[in-house]
């Protein structure tokens, strides 16, 4: 049936799509399934094809329509885009407030807006009568480049403002950035296609906005978050900065979800510390916190000095990237024999710690980076992630820089190194003959999420293997006090404590034990699925590859690894020795995953739990079949809120999710376990 539309219906359809865009890209709260959104979009495109005379630049269909440019044109910022002064210590932040109070000649407590400083690219967006008319880079603050075509492609930038009451002319300023997940995904794809990946999300955002063809920008996962208004004509905005942002949010812009208002500079320092601790959990990169005097009349009274306002400051986090020299490359042998090239670096302070080693991943990565010993390299350390060499400063390459060659024999046991076709990783073929692999296997066995043997750390394992006291994981349960106390830095007391910890660790669970065995590709979650599915180690040991495939998340490769592991007589022998030594666990009824009480449910844990650690709560939930996620979304079934829960709790409330406190959680756990 051919349906005809009039102009009014078209406008209603555009309005409806704009609302869905806003809910999806700005509020993170979609109200219709993707398929419905696609259907509306196709309907819009069909009408506009039939009536090209009705097409307007603010139509949601016009985000990626434009042709490539040959160059960007220059624009002048009517109000300069200022930069921010930086603070690098609490003292510098205290000085900032002292200067403000001196200038205001007042000691009254000051209200500050606190916002994460996104690590992206500053942009200016101009709206006339509620329609997006121009978007530009910051440039030198006075002149920027017209990148309207590219900015139009970013779904969180409204082409038409929502609601009403906006000034006739409104300039909105903010940051375009690439969220961490989008960046990782983009780089994964680039590497798979043999293309050059981006060094960090900021470069990715910059590179994406610099494209002359907006169709390329449209494919990049960019977001825009606003942080101030610029030019305003024929209209008024509120007189507090945070209220301005709330108003912009209502008109269709993303504002930072961590924004907060505090009183006094000590509270700013507190905010800085708290957000610093949460930095890794945010879905975007930040490089500091911006503090702004919240009252706009006070901002005006304070004014500017050179190109930065006196009323704002960016308190930077320690840099996550620094330059240093590559002194050498060593090849380390992992638990499964994987050979990892490790860069030995001139020590450098980065990401808050001194770094002297960084991973180079594998030979492909060395070739991709074209890195040589003696090169100046850029090292990145973000959060808890292992430091990485991300690029080489070729301009500083010395004449005698040495090409890195991959060894053909294991640096520890001299066995042959082989690389399977199609695999990036090369491995030592020495197996348990290789002391490096044995050490790693023992370290894994003793680790917290495996047998959790307190006091059996990396150095002690190295010493035990080097001294010939331990060859396999089973040997650690035969250690005697007099052997241990002879080791360097190991007195009678420590030896005694270790023996007690070994005894305690013998009482374990089947999933921990399976994980501790260190079977290739069998992580905690797979070990748990195996334990739940089969209920006993004997059944896991004797399971065929085919029956292993019926366990959730186990594919043919993992099934093969498990099967191969249990076919090796020496592995079975070690398991028997461990059981003879007294390692035991309660035998369970097999519980196929589909029958677990929390199967298909997603939990988020937030705040401080008083009666158990987060890891324990997570393990309990996973054992009952639940998925534990780090972020709240419409897909979350339960939020477990401990004390001092923050933004996740607020978000869960706004999404009207089921929220339970710790007491209720513990009560529910016993019900679910029953
Ligand atoms: N969050 C935030 N980032 N940022 C950058 N606020 C903010 N304010 C800025 C800049 C350059 O400038 C103000 C002077 C508006």
């Amino acid at each position: 049936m051919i349906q005809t539309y009039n102009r009014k219906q078209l406008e209603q359809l555009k309005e409806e799509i704009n609302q869905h865009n806003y809910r999806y890209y700005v509020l993170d709260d979609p109200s219709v399934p993707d398929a419905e959104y696609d259907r509306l979009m196709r309907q819009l495109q069909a009408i506009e094809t039939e009536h090209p005379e009705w097409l307007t630049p603010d139509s949601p269909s016009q985000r990626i329509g434009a042709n490539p440019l040959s160059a960007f044109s220059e624009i002048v910022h009517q109000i300069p885009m200022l930069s921010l002064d930086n603070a690098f210590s609490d003292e510098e932040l205290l000085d900032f407030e002292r200067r403000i109070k001196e200038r205001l000649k007042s000691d009254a407590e000051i209200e500050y807006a606190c916002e994460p400083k996104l690590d992206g690219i500053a942009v200016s967006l101009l709206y006339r009568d509620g329609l997006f008319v121009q978007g530009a880079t910051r440039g030198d603050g006075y002149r920027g480049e017209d990148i309207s075509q590219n900015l139009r492609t970013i779904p969180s930038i409204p082409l038409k403002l929502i609601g009403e009451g906006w000034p006739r002319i409104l300039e909105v300023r903010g940051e375009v950035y690439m969220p961490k997940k989008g960046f990782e995904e983009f780089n994964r794809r680039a590497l798979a296609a043999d293309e050059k990946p981006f060094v960090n999300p900021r470069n990715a955002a910059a590179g994406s906005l610099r494209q002359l063809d907006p169709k390329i920008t449209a494919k990049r996962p960019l977001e825009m978050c606003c942080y101030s208004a610029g030019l305003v004509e024929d209209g008024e905005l509120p007189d507090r900065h945070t209220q301005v942002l709330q108003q912009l949010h209502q008109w269709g812009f993303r504002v930072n979800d961590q924004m907060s208002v505090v009183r006094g500079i000590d509270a700013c320092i507190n905010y800085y510390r708290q957000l610093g601790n949460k930095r890794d959990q945010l879905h975007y990169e930040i490089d500091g916190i911006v503090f702004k005097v919240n009252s706009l009349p006070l901002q005006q009274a304070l004014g500017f000095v050179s190109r930065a306002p006196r009323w704002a400051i960016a308190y930077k986090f320690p840099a996550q990237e620094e330059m240093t020299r590559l002194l050498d490359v060593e090849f380390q042998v992992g638990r499964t024999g994987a050979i990892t090239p490790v860069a030995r670096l001139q020590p450098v302070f980065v990401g808050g710690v001194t770094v002297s080693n960084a991973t180079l991943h594998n030979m492909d990565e060395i070739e991709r980076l074209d890195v040589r010993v003696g090169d100046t390299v850029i090292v990145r350390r973000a959060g808890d992630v292992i430091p990485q060499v991300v690029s080489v400063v070729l301009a500083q390459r010395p004449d005698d820089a040495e090409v890195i060659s991959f060894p053909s024999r294991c640096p520890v046991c001299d066995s042959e190194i082989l690389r399977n076709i199609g695999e990036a990783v090369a491995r030592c073929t020495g197996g348990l003959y290789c002391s490096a692999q044995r050490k790693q296997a023992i370290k894994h066995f003793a680790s917290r999420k495996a047998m959790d043997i307190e006091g059996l750390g990396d150095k002690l394992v190295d010493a035990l293997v080097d001294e010939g006291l331990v060859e396999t994981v089973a040997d650690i349960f035969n250690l005697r006090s007099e052997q241990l106390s002879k080791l360097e830095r190991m007195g009678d007391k420590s030896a005694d404590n270790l023996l007690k910890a070994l005894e305690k660790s013998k009482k374990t669970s089947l999933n921990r034990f399976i994980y501790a065995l260190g079977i290739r590709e069998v992580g905690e979650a797979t070990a748990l699925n195996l334990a739940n599915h089969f209920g006993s180690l004997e059944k896991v040991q004797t399971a065929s590859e085919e029956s292993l495939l019926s366990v959730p998340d186990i594919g043919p490769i993992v099934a093969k690894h498990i099967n191969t592991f249990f076919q090796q007589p020496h592995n079975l022998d070690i398991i028997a020795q461990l059981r003879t030594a007294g390692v035991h666990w309660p035998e369970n009824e097999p519980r196929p995953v589909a029958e677990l009480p929390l199967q298909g449910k997603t939990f988020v844990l937030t705040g401080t739990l008083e009666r158990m650690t987060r890891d324990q709560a997570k393990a309990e939930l996973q054992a009952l079949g639940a998925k534990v996620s780090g972020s709240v979304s419409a897909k979350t079934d339960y939020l477990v809120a401990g004390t001092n829960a923050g933004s996740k709790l607020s978000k869960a409330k706004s999404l009207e999710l089921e929220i339970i406190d710790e007491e209720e959680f513990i009560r529910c756990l016993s019900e679910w376990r029953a």
Side-chain angles (χ1 to χ4, degrees):
M1 191 181 70
I2 298 171
Q3 198 174 347
T4 55
Y5 290 87
N6 60 32
R7 191 73 198 257
K8 188 159 169 245
Q9 285 167 317
L10 172 72
E11 291 308 319
Q12 277 168 352
L13 181 59
K14 289 200 300 200
E15 196 63 29
E16 191 181 351
I17 295 176
N18 277 339
Q19 277 296 335
H20 290 318
N21 265 341
Y22 178 61
R23 291 195 65 128
Y24 190 93
Y25 292 107
V26 177
L27 303 182
D28 290 330
D29 182 22
S31 55
V32 290
D34 292 355
E36 170 64 5
Y37 177 84
D38 294 343
R39 193 187 63 73
L40 294 172
M41 202 64 181
R42 279 197 303 275
Q43 198 178 347
L44 173 66
Q45 283 159 346
I47 303 171
E48 288 176 340
T49 310
E50 199 171 331
H51 293 281
E53 71 281 11
W54 290 351
L55 196 62
T56 56
D58 65 301
S59 168
S61 66
Q62 294 307 293
R63 287 199 179 267
I64 51 169
N67 291 324
L69 296 172
S70 51
F72 296 121
S73 54
E74 192 183 87
I75 60 97
V76 174
H77 296 297
Q78 296 220 28
I79 299 178
M81 287 184 81
L82 302 168
S83 51
L84 287 166
D85 270 344
N86 292 324
F88 294 97
S89 66
D90 290 357
E91 286 67 39
E92 288 178 10
L93 199 63
L94 294 170
D95 279 349
F96 162 69
E97 168 153 275
R98 189 184 42 71
R99 287 194 299 271
I100 290 177
K101 289 189 169 175
E102 274 173 16
R103 190 135 195 118
L104 294 176
K105 296 192 176 53
S106 159
D107 201 27
E109 194 169 52
I110 294 172
E111 186 179 272
Y112 292 101
C114 318
E115 299 160 28
K117 188 167 183 305
L118 294 171
D119 206 1
I121 302 297
V123 296
S124 145
L125 311 172
L126 194 64
Y127 290 82
R128 189 171 297 126
D129 295 319
L131 298 182
F132 175 72
V133 288
Q134 188 181 71
T137 58
R138 175 177 177 280
D140 63 3
Y142 299 95
R143 285 158 204 278
E145 284 181 320
D146 183 340
I147 52 164
S148 309
Q149 295 215 88
N150 291 344
L151 291 172
R152 297 181 74 84
T153 69
I154 300 176
S156 47
I157 294 182
L159 298 180
K160 180 170 191 252
L161 300 183
I162 290 176
E164 54 193 25
W166 52 77
R168 189 179 58 82
I169 304 278
L170 173 67
E171 184 199 0
V172 176
R173 293 173 174 182
E175 206 85 359
V176 169
Y177 57 98
M178 192 178 280
K180 290 176 190 167
K181 240 196 200 143
F183 167 73
E184 282 156 19
E185 181 57 30
F186 179 83
N187 269 1
R188 224 187 335 268
R189 286 213 207 121
L191 284 170
D194 248 347
E195 287 163 12
K196 199 166 177 258
F198 283 113
V199 167
N200 57 39
R202 184 176 194 280
N203 287 18
S208 304
L209 289 184
R210 227 180 281 125
Q211 296 295 329
L212 289 168
D213 182 354
K215 290 193 176 63
I216 299 179
T217 313
K219 289 192 194 128
R220 306 281 169 84
L222 299 174
E223 284 180 9
M224 139 79 183
C225 182
C226 68
Y227 58 64
S228 74
L231 186 66
V232 175
E233 281 179 16
D234 300 333
E236 273 198 22
L237 294 179
D239 66 359
R240 284 165 89 215
H241 169 71
T242 41
Q243 285 172 349
V244 171
L245 293 190
Q246 269 157 18
Q247 177 64 80
L248 293 177
H249 186 47
Q250 278 162 17
W251 286 335
F253 295 91
R254 223 175 212 285
V255 293
N256 195 280
D257 53 352
Q258 304 292 327
M259 191 171 63
S260 185
V261 177
V262 303
R263 301 184 73 83
I265 207 74
D266 289 341
C268 291
I269 294 176
N270 204 13
Y271 177 93
Y272 174 85
R273 301 258 191 281
Q274 281 189 1
L275 223 88
N277 290 336
K278 265 171 62 178
R279 186 179 180 188
D280 300 340
Q281 292 152 35
L282 301 176
H283 80 276
Y284 41 78
E285 294 266 6
I286 61 173
D287 61 355
I289 304 292
V290 182
F291 298 108
K292 294 176 186 160
V293 171
N294 205 19
S295 151
L296 297 191
L298 280 188
Q299 286 190 4
Q300 208 144 33
L302 286 162
F304 308 94
V305 57
S306 120
R307 294 172 62 183
R310 289 197 184 89
W311 42 264
I313 198 157
Y315 189 1
K316 299 299 266 301
F317 291 131
Q320 292 188 314
E321 283 180 12
E322 286 294 350
M323 271 189 349
T324 188
R325 234 166 69 83
L326 176 64
L327 303 177
D328 198 2
V329 175
E330 275 177 25
F331 292 87
Q332 280 184 353
V333 189
R335 177 163 57 85
T336 57
I339 307 283
T340 307
V342 176
R344 302 285 177 225
L345 305 166
Q346 183 92 50
V348 60
F349 192 72
V350 54
V353 296
T354 301
V355 167
S356 27
N357 302 315
T359 181
L360 282 164
H361 298 289
N362 51 48
M363 198 56 203
D364 289 351
E365 180 71 354
I366 290 176
E367 279 166 11
R368 185 184 72 73
L369 291 168
D370 180 25
V371 60
R372 301 185 191 174
V373 173
D375 268 339
T376 297
V377 293
I378 293 175
V379 180
R380 179 174 175 80
R381 182 187 177 272
D384 293 336
V385 181
I386 304 169
Q388 303 189 41
V389 173
V390 289
S391 59
V392 176
V393 185
L394 285 176
Q396 292 190 24
R397 171 166 286 169
D399 292 340
D400 59 352
E402 244 177 84
V403 173
I404 300 160
S405 55
F406 210 83
S408 58
R409 304 201 76 84
C410 173
V412 176
C413 72
D414 202 37
S415 300
E416 200 181 351
I417 289 176
L418 289 181
R419 179 172 167 182
N420 288 340
I421 296 164
E423 280 189 19
V425 177
R427 290 175 202 277
C428 157
T429 52
L432 290 179
Y433 170 72
C434 176
S435 69
Q437 290 187 51
R438 273 186 282 131
K439 284 177 182 171
Q440 296 301 334
I442 297 166
K443 288 172 192 172
H444 171 80
F445 184 81
S447 64
R448 198 165 53 85
K449 290 178 178 169
M451 298 298 283
D452 194 18
I453 305 171
E454 218 183 312
L456 187 52
D458 290 2
K459 291 222 166 75
L460 182 53
V461 172
D462 289 345
L464 289 169
V465 174
D466 291 341
E467 293 295 317
L469 295 175
V470 163
E471 259 196 27
T472 72
V473 292
D475 296 336
I476 55 178
F477 291 105
N478 298 326
L479 285 166
R480 294 188 311 277
S481 180
E482 62 273 19
Q483 290 175 314
L484 287 170
S485 47
K486 276 193 209 122
L487 294 172
E488 218 177 301
R489 283 196 294 274
M490 178 69 114
D492 290 348
K493 178 101 184 102
S494 311
D496 200 39
N497 285 343
L498 181 64
L499 291 177
K500 281 194 186 122
L502 281 165
E503 203 51 42
K504 188 169 156 217
S505 74
K506 287 180 184 172
K507 183 175 173 216
T508 186
S509 59
L510 177 57
N511 53 301
R512 271 179 180 268
F513 185 75
I514 295 173
Y515 173 64
L517 291 174
I519 305 166
R520 262 180 82 182
E521 312 268 345
V522 175
E524 278 171 280
T526 309
L528 185 64
N529 286 344
L530 284 166
N532 280 332
H533 187 90
F534 291 105
S536 79
L537 185 64
E538 286 66 30
K539 288 196 181 129
V540 181
Q541 279 179 207
T542 52
S544 64
E545 276 184 47
E546 203 184 355
S547 65
L548 286 166
L549 286 174
S550 57
V551 180
D553 294 336
I554 293 190
I557 295 176
V558 184
K560 190 157 190 61
H561 287 322
I562 298 170
N563 208 255
T564 310
F565 181 91
F566 289 115
Q567 275 172 14
Q568 309 304 312
H570 64 259
N571 286 339
L572 299 179
D573 192 31
I574 285 170
I575 291 171
Q577 288 178 42
L578 287 168
R579 298 189 93 162
T580 309
V583 174
H584 66 286
W585 53 86
E587 295 288 334
N588 297 328
E589 278 298 304
R591 286 184 92 171
V593 170
E595 287 171 22
L596 291 172
L598 299 181
Q599 176 59 26
K601 300 279 181 229
T602 302
F603 281 67
V604 175
L605 303 166
T606 188
T608 313
L609 299 178
E610 313 284 343
R611 291 166 58 189
M612 58 173 74
T613 63
R614 284 256 188 112
D615 277 346
Q616 283 166 337
K618 186 174 168 190
E620 288 268 6
L621 287 168
Q622 286 175 333
L624 293 163
K627 194 173 144 217
V628 181
S629 160
S631 57
V632 174
S633 75
K635 292 191 186 125
T636 308
D637 293 292
Y638 293 91
L639 180 90
V640 180
T643 47
N644 295 325
S647 61
K648 286 185 193 164
L649 178 58
S650 321
K651 185 158 182 196
K653 280 183 184 159
S654 71
L655 290 170
E656 296 181 10
L657 302 177
E658 181 112 21
I659 299 166
I660 52 178
D661 63 14
E662 184 171 5
E663 203 170 308
E664 169 136 26
F665 175 58
I666 289 175
R667 196 184 54 69
C668 289
L669 273 182
S670 55
E671 261 174 35
W672 291 323
R673 281 194 212 107

